[in-house]
Amino acid sequence: MSQPAQARSRRTRNRLIAAAEDEIAAQGFEGLRVDAVVRRAGVAKGTFFAHFADKEILIEELIAARLEAELQRLEAAPPPHDLDGFIAALMPAWSLMTQERYVFDVIARHSTAMGIANLGPLAIAFQRLYDVISDWLSGAPFRTDVTRRLLAEGVQAFALQSMALEFCALHNQIGLAARLRPYLRAWLLPNHAAGTKKAPETGALSVAAEAA
Amino acid sequence: MSQPAQARSRRTRNRLIAAAEDEIAAQGFEGLRVDAVVRRAGVAKGTFFAHFADKEILIEELIAARLEAELQRLEAAPPPHDLDGFIAALMPAWSLMTQERYVFDVIARHSTAMGIANLGPLAIAFQRLYDVISDWLSGAPFRTDVTRRLLAEGVQAFALQSMALEFCALHNQIGLAARLRPYLRAWLLPNHAAGTKKAPETGALSVAAEAA
DNA sequence: GACCAGATTTGACCGTGGTCATTTAACCGC
DNA sequence: GCGGTTAAATGACCACGGTCAAATCTGGTC
């Protein structure tokens, strides 16, 4: 994977990626067309598919690259020491994932590994994210009756669900952080949760329940 | 919705649905082709799209119908009185969702409402499912420091994540129920989990931790 | 039963992702 | 440089979801 090919091939691949980035900057991920990329790169259509098994794999790579950049920041950052700090620290990564509905869908589909010995770039990035979160969660205020790993996976489960809701017109008057908070509080600080009765701790979906 | 059309139209629609069911029985959801449905129904292609905005909406309806049937059973069933009963009771609904990867993807994309005042059939079915789960969770052994609704939504978040993992070749030596259990235990019974410091009963839990 | 307005159906057509046999370029030993 | 072998690129072609102006049917009115 490191040295897959001759120089010409690498150049072509880079041209394709650059062209795709340009197109995405102009049209967004959703509006990306293989024909447009290929035209901009000055290359035949078949060439595209010689380099990327399908369109989604290219997109996955581009999203993963953005995520990796954010991960680098997260890994360097000091661990947060309370729930709100935790949420704030992860917010940039989460906003990245919710920029575009299309992007979120790709992530939802690929954030778990999809084939034996064949973790896609997004799945790999998510493993790294789990590591960061696990690490942060091992510390002081958070529950310890359960492995950090399990805790981290739970955080992702709630995050994905809240993000999905973010795209639902019925519920989007409330921000991601606000939506996510009650879940994480109940998940990460189960003993504290009983103490407060402030604010509507109803689930984010209750708005929909009303409407139904 | 009740009286959408003249009789001819309703007949055509039913023929399309029946044809689609036949095709799905033969080819699975993934293999469904609009052309095949239309041919089998003896109808022109345009007619299909006069009845269903797109292919996915038909599929959504068919999946929702199966889910509704299961919901009827769930609503009639007695509430489970412990965690394993809870999991066992919901298992049929969850297996329904994991029959086919394609089906799961559609569910993941449509289980939350997608447009104002326009809950799709799947979103509606999921509201019903939340109601059932909320109801079951209000009872005895489960935590009460948090609303039933929030608890129910959390259950779905974990269920969806575990299902996604179910399709990941790297992790599929472990069944859905076994994968899900440690999450639900930690989510629904946080105090029981906290009771034991060295966590001797977390056998299933550590399996999930290991999987990483 | 002749007529009409609106609902329904039709099928040729299009956009777009993806395939593959063929052609062209790169590398290597001589 | 010169054949020859493998890697890379090409573009005509296909599959499939979806569109739309035109044709056809239906139920109601006189």
Side-chain angles (χ1 to χ4, degrees), chain B residues 19-48:
Chain B
E21 292 277 20
D22 288 352
E23 284 293 325
I24 287 164
Q27 321 286 336
F29 280 90
E30 171 115 52
L32 192 68
R33 294 288 168 270
V34 173
D35 280 314
V37 172
V38 147
R39 203 179 322 125
R40 194 186 275 263
V43 141
K45 195 152 176 199
T47 303
F48 181 97

PDB file of all heavy atoms in Angstrom, chain B residues 19-48:
ATOM      1  N   ALA B  19     -45.859  -7.581  -6.419  1.00  0.00           N
ATOM      2  CA  ALA B  19     -44.726  -7.948  -7.280  1.00  0.00           C
ATOM      3  C   ALA B  19     -43.413  -7.749  -6.524  1.00  0.00           C
ATOM      4  O   ALA B  19     -42.509  -8.590  -6.581  1.00  0.00           O
ATOM      5  CB  ALA B  19     -44.748  -7.112  -8.548  1.00  0.00           C
ATOM      6  N   ALA B  20     -43.331  -6.645  -5.804  1.00  0.00           N
ATOM      7  CA  ALA B  20     -42.105  -6.367  -5.057  1.00  0.00           C
ATOM      8  C   ALA B  20     -41.876  -7.437  -3.993  1.00  0.00           C
ATOM      9  O   ALA B  20     -40.753  -7.925  -3.822  1.00  0.00           O
ATOM     10  CB  ALA B  20     -42.186  -4.992  -4.417  1.00  0.00           C
ATOM     11  N   GLU B  21     -42.929  -7.835  -3.310  1.00  0.00           N
ATOM     12  CA  GLU B  21     -42.782  -8.882  -2.284  1.00  0.00           C
ATOM     13  C   GLU B  21     -42.267 -10.168  -2.920  1.00  0.00           C
ATOM     14  O   GLU B  21     -41.382 -10.831  -2.379  1.00  0.00           O
ATOM     15  CB  GLU B  21     -44.132  -9.151  -1.603  1.00  0.00           C
ATOM     16  CG  GLU B  21     -44.656  -8.006  -0.748  1.00  0.00           C
ATOM     17  CD  GLU B  21     -44.054  -7.980   0.658  1.00  0.00           C
ATOM     18  OE1 GLU B  21     -42.989  -8.572   0.884  1.00  0.00           O
ATOM     19  OE2 GLU B  21     -44.682  -7.325   1.528  1.00  0.00           O
ATOM     20  N   ASP B  22     -42.821 -10.510  -4.062  1.00  0.00           N
ATOM     21  CA  ASP B  22     -42.366 -11.722  -4.749  1.00  0.00           C
ATOM     22  C   ASP B  22     -40.890 -11.615  -5.092  1.00  0.00           C
ATOM     23  O   ASP B  22     -40.106 -12.542  -4.870  1.00  0.00           O
ATOM     24  CB  ASP B  22     -43.172 -11.938  -6.036  1.00  0.00           C
ATOM     25  CG  ASP B  22     -44.600 -12.389  -5.736  1.00  0.00           C
ATOM     26  OD1 ASP B  22     -44.896 -12.669  -4.553  1.00  0.00           O
ATOM     27  OD2 ASP B  22     -45.413 -12.455  -6.673  1.00  0.00           O
ATOM     28  N   GLU B  23     -40.526 -10.483  -5.654  1.00  0.00           N
ATOM     29  CA  GLU B  23     -39.134 -10.291  -6.038  1.00  0.00           C
ATOM     30  C   GLU B  23     -38.212 -10.390  -4.832  1.00  0.00           C
ATOM     31  O   GLU B  23     -37.157 -11.011  -4.890  1.00  0.00           O
ATOM     32  CB  GLU B  23     -38.961  -8.923  -6.704  1.00  0.00           C
ATOM     33  CG  GLU B  23     -39.468  -8.864  -8.139  1.00  0.00           C
ATOM     34  CD  GLU B  23     -38.640  -9.730  -9.086  1.00  0.00           C
ATOM     35  OE1 GLU B  23     -37.422  -9.822  -8.877  1.00  0.00           O
ATOM     36  OE2 GLU B  23     -39.223 -10.317 -10.017  1.00  0.00           O
ATOM     37  N   ILE B  24     -38.657  -9.770  -3.734  1.00  0.00           N
ATOM     38  CA  ILE B  24     -37.829  -9.796  -2.538  1.00  0.00           C
ATOM     39  C   ILE B  24     -37.700 -11.214  -1.996  1.00  0.00           C
ATOM     40  O   ILE B  24     -36.617 -11.631  -1.572  1.00  0.00           O
ATOM     41  CB  ILE B  24     -38.404  -8.845  -1.471  1.00  0.00           C
ATOM     42  CG1 ILE B  24     -38.148  -7.406  -1.890  1.00  0.00           C
ATOM     43  CG2 ILE B  24     -37.782  -9.111  -0.109  1.00  0.00           C
ATOM     44  CD1 ILE B  24     -38.977  -6.389  -1.147  1.00  0.00           C
ATOM     45  N   ALA B  25     -38.796 -11.948  -2.048  1.00  0.00           N
ATOM     46  CA  ALA B  25     -38.735 -13.342  -1.594  1.00  0.00           C
ATOM     47  C   ALA B  25     -37.708 -14.109  -2.414  1.00  0.00           C
ATOM     48  O   ALA B  25     -37.008 -14.984  -1.913  1.00  0.00           O
ATOM     49  CB  ALA B  25     -40.110 -13.991  -1.708  1.00  0.00           C
ATOM     50  N   ALA B  26     -37.601 -13.758  -3.672  1.00  0.00           N
ATOM     51  CA  ALA B  26     -36.693 -14.485  -4.551  1.00  0.00           C
ATOM     52  C   ALA B  26     -35.267 -13.940  -4.510  1.00  0.00           C
ATOM     53  O   ALA B  26     -34.301 -14.707  -4.525  1.00  0.00           O
ATOM     54  CB  ALA B  26     -37.222 -14.449  -5.984  1.00  0.00           C
ATOM     55  N   GLN B  27     -35.128 -12.628  -4.467  1.00  0.00           N
ATOM     56  CA  GLN B  27     -33.806 -12.020  -4.621  1.00  0.00           C
ATOM     57  C   GLN B  27     -33.295 -11.317  -3.374  1.00  0.00           C
ATOM     58  O   GLN B  27     -32.163 -10.852  -3.369  1.00  0.00           O
ATOM     59  CB  GLN B  27     -33.833 -10.977  -5.750  1.00  0.00           C
ATOM     60  CG  GLN B  27     -34.662 -11.347  -6.954  1.00  0.00           C
ATOM     61  CD  GLN B  27     -34.008 -12.392  -7.822  1.00  0.00           C
ATOM     62  OE1 GLN B  27     -32.788 -12.516  -7.777  1.00  0.00           O
ATOM     63  NE2 GLN B  27     -34.779 -13.142  -8.563  1.00  0.00           N
ATOM     64  N   GLY B  28     -34.144 -11.159  -2.367  1.00  0.00           N
ATOM     65  CA  GLY B  28     -33.747 -10.359  -1.209  1.00  0.00           C
ATOM     66  C   GLY B  28     -33.946  -8.881  -1.495  1.00  0.00           C
ATOM     67  O   GLY B  28     -34.153  -8.482  -2.640  1.00  0.00           O
ATOM     68  N   PHE B  29     -33.872  -8.077  -0.441  1.00  0.00           N
ATOM     69  CA  PHE B  29     -34.077  -6.638  -0.604  1.00  0.00           C
ATOM     70  C   PHE B  29     -32.977  -6.046  -1.470  1.00  0.00           C
ATOM     71  O   PHE B  29     -33.222  -5.240  -2.347  1.00  0.00           O
ATOM     72  CB  PHE B  29     -34.073  -5.951   0.761  1.00  0.00           C
ATOM     73  CG  PHE B  29     -35.370  -6.069   1.499  1.00  0.00           C
ATOM     74  CD1 PHE B  29     -35.613  -7.133   2.353  1.00  0.00           C
ATOM     75  CD2 PHE B  29     -36.364  -5.119   1.338  1.00  0.00           C
ATOM     76  CE1 PHE B  29     -36.813  -7.247   3.036  1.00  0.00           C
ATOM     77  CE2 PHE B  29     -37.561  -5.224   2.021  1.00  0.00           C
ATOM     78  CZ  PHE B  29     -37.790  -6.286   2.875  1.00  0.00           C
ATOM     79  N   GLU B  30     -31.794  -6.468  -1.219  1.00  0.00           N
ATOM     80  CA  GLU B  30     -30.647  -5.925  -1.931  1.00  0.00           C
ATOM     81  C   GLU B  30     -30.789  -6.098  -3.443  1.00  0.00           C
ATOM     82  O   GLU B  30     -30.416  -5.230  -4.207  1.00  0.00           O
ATOM     83  CB  GLU B  30     -29.375  -6.637  -1.447  1.00  0.00           C
ATOM     84  CG  GLU B  30     -28.159  -6.304  -2.253  1.00  0.00           C
ATOM     85  CD  GLU B  30     -27.125  -5.561  -1.421  1.00  0.00           C
ATOM     86  OE1 GLU B  30     -26.792  -6.060  -0.337  1.00  0.00           O
ATOM     87  OE2 GLU B  30     -26.653  -4.503  -1.881  1.00  0.00           O
ATOM     88  N   GLY B  31     -31.313  -7.236  -3.844  1.00  0.00           N
ATOM     89  CA  GLY B  31     -31.393  -7.550  -5.262  1.00  0.00           C
ATOM     90  C   GLY B  31     -32.616  -6.988  -5.961  1.00  0.00           C
ATOM     91  O   GLY B  31     -32.851  -7.273  -7.136  1.00  0.00           O
ATOM     92  N   LEU B  32     -33.398  -6.218  -5.261  1.00  0.00           N
ATOM     93  CA  LEU B  32     -34.621  -5.680  -5.850  1.00  0.00           C
ATOM     94  C   LEU B  32     -34.316  -4.684  -6.962  1.00  0.00           C
ATOM     95  O   LEU B  32     -33.549  -3.746  -6.768  1.00  0.00           O
ATOM     96  CB  LEU B  32     -35.463  -4.992  -4.772  1.00  0.00           C
ATOM     97  CG  LEU B  32     -36.887  -4.650  -5.207  1.00  0.00           C
ATOM     98  CD1 LEU B  32     -37.693  -5.925  -5.411  1.00  0.00           C
ATOM     99  CD2 LEU B  32     -37.571  -3.747  -4.198  1.00  0.00           C
ATOM    100  N   ARG B  33     -34.934  -4.904  -8.148  1.00  0.00           N
ATOM    101  CA  ARG B  33     -34.757  -3.992  -9.275  1.00  0.00           C
ATOM    102  C   ARG B  33     -36.117  -3.452  -9.678  1.00  0.00           C
ATOM    103  O   ARG B  33     -37.062  -4.210  -9.864  1.00  0.00           O
ATOM    104  CB  ARG B  33     -34.139  -4.721 -10.468  1.00  0.00           C
ATOM    105  CG  ARG B  33     -32.723  -5.207 -10.250  1.00  0.00           C
ATOM    106  CD  ARG B  33     -31.729  -4.087 -10.220  1.00  0.00           C
ATOM    107  NE  ARG B  33     -30.422  -4.548  -9.737  1.00  0.00           N
ATOM    108  CZ  ARG B  33     -30.044  -4.546  -8.467  1.00  0.00           C
ATOM    109  NH1 ARG B  33     -30.871  -4.107  -7.528  1.00  0.00           N
ATOM    110  NH2 ARG B  33     -28.862  -4.979  -8.108  1.00  0.00           N
ATOM    111  N   VAL B  34     -36.185  -2.157  -9.855  1.00  0.00           N
ATOM    112  CA  VAL B  34     -37.446  -1.543 -10.254  1.00  0.00           C
ATOM    113  C   VAL B  34     -37.951  -2.170 -11.544  1.00  0.00           C
ATOM    114  O   VAL B  34     -39.139  -2.463 -11.686  1.00  0.00           O
ATOM    115  CB  VAL B  34     -37.284  -0.024 -10.412  1.00  0.00           C
ATOM    116  CG1 VAL B  34     -38.542   0.583 -10.988  1.00  0.00           C
ATOM    117  CG2 VAL B  34     -36.948   0.614  -9.080  1.00  0.00           C
ATOM    118  N   ASP B  35     -37.062  -2.378 -12.487  1.00  0.00           N
ATOM    119  CA  ASP B  35     -37.467  -2.990 -13.755  1.00  0.00           C
ATOM    120  C   ASP B  35     -38.136  -4.334 -13.533  1.00  0.00           C
ATOM    121  O   ASP B  35     -39.140  -4.651 -14.167  1.00  0.00           O
ATOM    122  CB  ASP B  35     -36.243  -3.164 -14.663  1.00  0.00           C
ATOM    123  CG  ASP B  35     -35.879  -1.857 -15.355  1.00  0.00           C
ATOM    124  OD1 ASP B  35     -36.790  -1.207 -15.879  1.00  0.00           O
ATOM    125  OD2 ASP B  35     -34.697  -1.500 -15.364  1.00  0.00           O
ATOM    126  N   ALA B  36     -37.571  -5.119 -12.646  1.00  0.00           N
ATOM    127  CA  ALA B  36     -38.132  -6.445 -12.393  1.00  0.00           C
ATOM    128  C   ALA B  36     -39.528  -6.338 -11.778  1.00  0.00           C
ATOM    129  O   ALA B  36     -40.455  -7.059 -12.168  1.00  0.00           O
ATOM    130  CB  ALA B  36     -37.199  -7.236 -11.473  1.00  0.00           C
ATOM    131  N   VAL B  37     -39.676  -5.432 -10.845  1.00  0.00           N
ATOM    132  CA  VAL B  37     -40.979  -5.254 -10.196  1.00  0.00           C
ATOM    133  C   VAL B  37     -42.022  -4.857 -11.227  1.00  0.00           C
ATOM    134  O   VAL B  37     -43.118  -5.415 -11.297  1.00  0.00           O
ATOM    135  CB  VAL B  37     -40.900  -4.172  -9.103  1.00  0.00           C
ATOM    136  CG1 VAL B  37     -42.283  -3.841  -8.567  1.00  0.00           C
ATOM    137  CG2 VAL B  37     -39.993  -4.624  -7.976  1.00  0.00           C
ATOM    138  N   VAL B  38     -41.643  -3.896 -12.030  1.00  0.00           N
ATOM    139  CA  VAL B  38     -42.541  -3.344 -13.025  1.00  0.00           C
ATOM    140  C   VAL B  38     -42.934  -4.407 -14.055  1.00  0.00           C
ATOM    141  O   VAL B  38     -44.094  -4.516 -14.439  1.00  0.00           O
ATOM    142  CB  VAL B  38     -41.806  -2.147 -13.678  1.00  0.00           C
ATOM    143  CG1 VAL B  38     -42.171  -2.006 -15.113  1.00  0.00           C
ATOM    144  CG2 VAL B  38     -42.084  -0.895 -12.882  1.00  0.00           C
ATOM    145  N   ARG B  39     -41.978  -5.199 -14.467  1.00  0.00           N
ATOM    146  CA  ARG B  39     -42.244  -6.261 -15.435  1.00  0.00           C
ATOM    147  C   ARG B  39     -43.237  -7.246 -14.818  1.00  0.00           C
ATOM    148  O   ARG B  39     -44.241  -7.602 -15.415  1.00  0.00           O
ATOM    149  CB  ARG B  39     -40.941  -6.962 -15.812  1.00  0.00           C
ATOM    150  CG  ARG B  39     -40.998  -7.659 -17.153  1.00  0.00           C
ATOM    151  CD  ARG B  39     -39.651  -8.326 -17.480  1.00  0.00           C
ATOM    152  NE  ARG B  39     -38.519  -7.515 -17.051  1.00  0.00           N
ATOM    153  CZ  ARG B  39     -37.557  -7.936 -16.248  1.00  0.00           C
ATOM    154  NH1 ARG B  39     -37.578  -9.179 -15.771  1.00  0.00           N
ATOM    155  NH2 ARG B  39     -36.563  -7.132 -15.911  1.00  0.00           N
ATOM    156  N   ARG B  40     -42.934  -7.654 -13.588  1.00  0.00           N
ATOM    157  CA  ARG B  40     -43.781  -8.640 -12.939  1.00  0.00           C
ATOM    158  C   ARG B  40     -45.207  -8.114 -12.723  1.00  0.00           C
ATOM    159  O   ARG B  40     -46.173  -8.865 -12.807  1.00  0.00           O
ATOM    160  CB  ARG B  40     -43.181  -9.036 -11.590  1.00  0.00           C
ATOM    161  CG  ARG B  40     -43.796 -10.274 -10.979  1.00  0.00           C
ATOM    162  CD  ARG B  40     -43.252 -10.526  -9.592  1.00  0.00           C
ATOM    163  NE  ARG B  40     -41.989 -11.267  -9.574  1.00  0.00           N
ATOM    164  CZ  ARG B  40     -41.915 -12.585  -9.387  1.00  0.00           C
ATOM    165  NH1 ARG B  40     -43.007 -13.298  -9.216  1.00  0.00           N
ATOM    166  NH2 ARG B  40     -40.737 -13.170  -9.371  1.00  0.00           N
ATOM    167  N   ALA B  41     -45.298  -6.819 -12.467  1.00  0.00           N
ATOM    168  CA  ALA B  41     -46.616  -6.232 -12.219  1.00  0.00           C
ATOM    169  C   ALA B  41     -47.341  -5.906 -13.527  1.00  0.00           C
ATOM    170  O   ALA B  41     -48.516  -5.560 -13.522  1.00  0.00           O
ATOM    171  CB  ALA B  41     -46.480  -4.979 -11.362  1.00  0.00           C
ATOM    172  N   GLY B  42     -46.639  -6.024 -14.633  1.00  0.00           N
ATOM    173  CA  GLY B  42     -47.253  -5.746 -15.922  1.00  0.00           C
ATOM    174  C   GLY B  42     -47.610  -4.278 -16.088  1.00  0.00           C
ATOM    175  O   GLY B  42     -48.724  -3.931 -16.487  1.00  0.00           O
ATOM    176  N   VAL B  43     -46.656  -3.429 -15.811  1.00  0.00           N
ATOM    177  CA  VAL B  43     -46.929  -2.001 -15.711  1.00  0.00           C
ATOM    178  C   VAL B  43     -45.707  -1.255 -16.249  1.00  0.00           C
ATOM    179  O   VAL B  43     -44.610  -1.796 -16.272  1.00  0.00           O
ATOM    180  CB  VAL B  43     -47.188  -1.705 -14.212  1.00  0.00           C
ATOM    181  CG1 VAL B  43     -46.590  -0.406 -13.794  1.00  0.00           C
ATOM    182  CG2 VAL B  43     -48.673  -1.779 -13.896  1.00  0.00           C
ATOM    183  N   ALA B  44     -45.881  -0.040 -16.687  1.00  0.00           N
ATOM    184  CA  ALA B  44     -44.747   0.720 -17.211  1.00  0.00           C
ATOM    185  C   ALA B  44     -43.907   1.287 -16.073  1.00  0.00           C
ATOM    186  O   ALA B  44     -44.376   1.432 -14.950  1.00  0.00           O
ATOM    187  CB  ALA B  44     -45.213   1.852 -18.108  1.00  0.00           C
ATOM    188  N   LYS B  45     -42.682   1.594 -16.405  1.00  0.00           N
ATOM    189  CA  LYS B  45     -41.772   2.053 -15.370  1.00  0.00           C
ATOM    190  C   LYS B  45     -42.248   3.335 -14.703  1.00  0.00           C
ATOM    191  O   LYS B  45     -42.176   3.477 -13.482  1.00  0.00           O
ATOM    192  CB  LYS B  45     -40.406   2.297 -16.002  1.00  0.00           C
ATOM    193  CG  LYS B  45     -39.321   2.424 -15.002  1.00  0.00           C
ATOM    194  CD  LYS B  45     -38.030   1.975 -15.611  1.00  0.00           C
ATOM    195  CE  LYS B  45     -36.863   2.167 -14.698  1.00  0.00           C
ATOM    196  NZ  LYS B  45     -35.607   2.155 -15.477  1.00  0.00           N
ATOM    197  N   GLY B  46     -42.707   4.261 -15.499  1.00  0.00           N
ATOM    198  CA  GLY B  46     -43.166   5.525 -14.949  1.00  0.00           C
ATOM    199  C   GLY B  46     -44.248   5.338 -13.904  1.00  0.00           C
ATOM    200  O   GLY B  46     -44.368   6.115 -12.952  1.00  0.00           O
ATOM    201  N   THR B  47     -45.038   4.318 -14.080  1.00  0.00           N
ATOM    202  CA  THR B  47     -46.127   4.059 -13.134  1.00  0.00           C
ATOM    203  C   THR B  47     -45.587   3.812 -11.737  1.00  0.00           C
ATOM    204  O   THR B  47     -46.160   4.272 -10.752  1.00  0.00           O
ATOM    205  CB  THR B  47     -46.935   2.833 -13.592  1.00  0.00           C
ATOM    206  OG1 THR B  47     -47.405   3.079 -14.915  1.00  0.00           O
ATOM    207  CG2 THR B  47     -48.117   2.599 -12.677  1.00  0.00           C
ATOM    208  N   PHE B  48     -44.478   3.071 -11.696  1.00  0.00           N
ATOM    209  CA  PHE B  48     -43.870   2.814 -10.392  1.00  0.00           C
ATOM    210  C   PHE B  48     -43.635   4.117  -9.644  1.00  0.00           C
ATOM    211  O   PHE B  48     -44.020   4.269  -8.485  1.00  0.00           O
ATOM    212  CB  PHE B  48     -42.544   2.079 -10.569  1.00  0.00           C
ATOM    213  CG  PHE B  48     -41.861   1.740  -9.272  1.00  0.00           C
ATOM    214  CD1 PHE B  48     -42.006   0.477  -8.710  1.00  0.00           C
ATOM    215  CD2 PHE B  48     -41.079   2.672  -8.614  1.00  0.00           C
ATOM    216  CE1 PHE B  48     -41.382   0.155  -7.508  1.00  0.00           C
ATOM    217  CE2 PHE B  48     -40.456   2.365  -7.413  1.00  0.00           C
ATOM    218  CZ  PHE B  48     -40.612   1.115  -6.861  1.00  0.00           C
TER     219      PHE B  48
END
